[in-house]
């Protein structure tokens, strides 16, 4: 992901945690916060705990989440900060299950635009 698409700093994470809204399913928690500056893109921050598994497992989950957001780039509401927290069941999922679960929680958060790929499921 491009640098401007990522949330890395602790104070940015904390702002989204404190002021943002959270949405969850069994595998993921998503925090969403509208940014003051109207930007043309969204930013994501990832949090995958050591409870999920070893470094290989955690990095695989993070890659899958990044790839999902990359594929959903045009469908996700722009101008927001998102923080995705992976829960333990995400460790045992393959890419397609992770993508399906993320789409589910993003629909709960009402940040996905209606497109042909989403409406056909």
């Amino acid at each position: 992901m491009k640098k401007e698409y990522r949330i890395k700093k602790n104070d940015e994470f904390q702002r989204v945690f404190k002021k943002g809204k959270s949405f969850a399913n069994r595998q993921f928690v998503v925090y969403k916060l509208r940014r003051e500056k109207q930007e043309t893109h969204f930013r994501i921050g990832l949090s995958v705990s050591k409870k999920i598994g070893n470094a290989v497992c955690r990095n695989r989950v993070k890659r899958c989440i990044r790839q999902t957001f990359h594929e959903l780039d045009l469908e996700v509401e722009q101008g927001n900060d998102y923080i995705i927290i992976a829960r333990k069941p995400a460790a045992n999922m393959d890419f397609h299950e992770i993508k399906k679960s993320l789409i589910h929680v993003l629909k709960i958060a009402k940040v996905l635009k209606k497109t042909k790929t989403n409406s056909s499921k």
Side-chain angles (χ1 to χ4, degrees):
M1 290 199 105
K2 292 182 182 175
K3 206 170 193 177
E4 62 265 16
Y5 283 48
R6 294 182 301 202
I7 300 174
K8 285 289 210 181
K9 294 182 181 171
N10 187 40
D11 60 325
E12 293 176 339
F13 267 87
Q14 295 305 320
R15 187 177 68 242
V16 177
F17 284 137
K18 289 178 182 157
K19 296 183 180 178
K21 287 196 166 215
S22 68
F23 307 91
N25 63 10
R26 286 189 176 171
Q27 295 83 15
F28 298 101
V29 180
V30 174
Y31 283 84
K32 174 186 96 163
L33 179 66
R34 189 86 185 143
R35 273 187 287 162
E36 296 82 33
K37 301 173 191 166
Q38 288 290 62
E39 306 258 347
T40 58
H41 57 81
F42 59 85
R43 297 189 310 167
I44 67 168
L46 302 177
S47 176
V48 183
S49 168
K50 286 187 178 181
K51 293 177 187 175
I52 301 293
N54 62 10
V56 175
C57 183
R58 293 193 308 269
N59 288 331
R60 187 186 62 78
V61 170
K62 288 191 276 188
R63 281 196 312 272
C64 290
I65 294 170
R66 281 191 212 104
Q67 182 61 30
T68 298
F69 269 87
H70 182 70
E71 291 178 9
L72 296 174
D73 187 20
L74 300 174
E75 299 167 31
V76 175
E77 196 174 281
Q78 306 297 316
N80 288 335
D81 284 347
Y82 300 101
I83 292 183
I84 295 90
I85 302 172
R87 291 180 168 170
K88 198 151 183 106
N92 303 323
M93 299 168 69
D94 66 4
F95 170 71
H96 297 291
E97 292 171 326
I98 288 176
K99 183 175 178 180
K100 187 176 177 183
S101 180
L102 269 175
I103 288 173
H104 174 255
V105 77
L106 290 173
K107 282 182 181 176
I108 292 171
K110 296 182 177 149
V111 295
L112 280 185
K113 299 174 187 167
K114 300 282 188 230
T115 61
K116 291 180 184 175
T117 57
N118 283 344
S119 60
S120 65
K121 292 184 180 177

